[in-house]
Amino acid sequence: MEAQVLAALHQAPGPATAAWVQDHLGGDLAYTTVMTILSRLHAKKAVTRERVGRSYVWLPAADEAGLAALRMRRVLDSESDRDAVLASFVSALSAQDERLLRTLLERATGEDPGPDATGPGPDPGRSPLGD
C-alpha cells in the first residue's frame, strides 16, 4: 500500500491532501488508512508534509531513484553483517554495472578514475544508478 500511495503522490500536480490521495487510489482505502500510510511514510522520511490550515499536504521526499536508494539503505541498515550483504550485492553486478559503480564511487570521493574505469559511460537517458 505504501508503494501505491507514493505512486499517487508522484502523479499529483503538486502537494496533495490525504483526501486527494484516497480519491486517486479509487476510494477503496479508508481515509484513516491513507493517513496512517502517509504518517508511516513520513516517519521513514519517504514523504514530507506541510500544514495548510488544519490539515497537511504531502509530497514525495525524493524522485523514484532516491526512493529506491532509501529502500536499499533501509535493507542494508537492517542486516547485522553489512560486509556480507555488500559483498554479495557487488559480486552479483554485471560488468557494466560494476564499472558504473566504480565511476560513481570515484566521483563521490573526488578520486581520478583509473584505467579500470574505462568502457562506455552511463546512458545519458538513464539515471546514474543504471535503472
Side-chain angles (χ1 to χ4, degrees), residues 27 83 88 95 100 128 130:
D83 289 352
S88 180
L100 176 58

Side-chain angles (χ1 to χ4, degrees), residues 96 120-128 131:
Q96 181 179 355
D123 181 3
R126 293 179 57 147
S127 79
D131 358 347

Side-chain angles (χ1 to χ4, degrees), residues 3 6 16 45 55 62 65 91 94 97 122 131:
L6 281 171
K45 300 185 185 327
S55 62
S91 67
S94 69
D97 285 343
D131 358 347

Side-chain angles (χ1 to χ4, degrees), residues 42-121:
H42 184 257
K44 295 176 181 180
K45 300 185 185 327
V47 299
T48 61
R49 67 183 183 190
E50 180 181 326
R51 187 171 286 282
V52 174
R54 292 179 17 182
S55 62
Y56 289 106
V57 291
W58 305 83
L59 284 165
D63 60 9
E64 292 294 328
L67 290 173
L70 178 64
R71 287 191 298 270
M72 292 167 67
R73 280 191 303 274
R74 255 191 246 122
V75 167
L76 184 59
D77 290 344
S78 71
E79 297 297 325
S80 59
D81 191 348
R82 294 175 72 92
D83 289 352
V85 173
L86 284 171
S88 180
F89 176 76
V90 170
S91 67
L93 291 175
S94 69
Q96 181 179 355
D97 285 343
E98 184 180 336
R99 282 191 302 274
L100 176 58
L101 182 58
R102 285 181 190 277
T103 300
L104 292 170
L105 287 170
E106 289 161 353
R107 211 179 289 160
T109 60
E111 295 177 16
D112 188 25
D116 290 338
T118 60

Side-chain angles (χ1 to χ4, degrees), residues 19-31 34:
W20 185 92
V21 172
Q22 180 190 25
D23 289 343
H24 193 76
L25 294 174
D28 292 338
L29 295 177
Y31 178 83
V34 173

